[in-house]
Amino acid sequence: VEAGLNPMEAIMTGTRNAANNLGKGNDLGTIENGKMADIIVVSGNPLEEIGKTRCIKMVIKDGVIVVNKLT
């Protein structure tokens, strides 16, 4: 975002675009049926304030909750 991207572009650059650039777009980078289930849950809306991506409340890796700060 500091380089001029809007929050959605920054998120897509670090997820979908990164996976595609590594040749892993069929397995990673977006939330879709059949892809690996790695995701973070953050407090707040990172599209409104990108710094919210640092407020991680839950981490799901391979479909399993490995960090849960929601409870």
Side-chain angles (χ1 to χ4, degrees):
V1 172
E2 290 177 13
L5 299 175
N6 68 45
M8 178 58 87
E9 291 169 331
I11 292 167
M12 289 172 32
T13 297
T15 57
R16 184 193 69 187
N17 297 356
N20 287 337
N21 288 337
L22 294 171
K24 299 288 187 177
N26 289 333
D27 299 314
L28 307 169
T30 58
I31 302 170
E32 296 179 62
N33 190 30
K35 290 193 173 184
M36 298 178 87
D38 295 350
I39 188 169
I40 61 169
V41 177
V42 299
S43 177
N45 185 348
L47 298 179
E48 294 174 1
E49 184 182 341
I50 196 66
K52 295 294 183 182
T53 57
R54 294 187 180 117
C55 302
I56 297 171
K57 296 296 180 184
M58 183 180 288
V59 177
I60 304 170
K61 172 109 175 95
D62 296 325
V64 177
I65 297 171
V66 294
V67 173
N68 186 355
K69 298 180 182 177
L70 293 175
T71 56

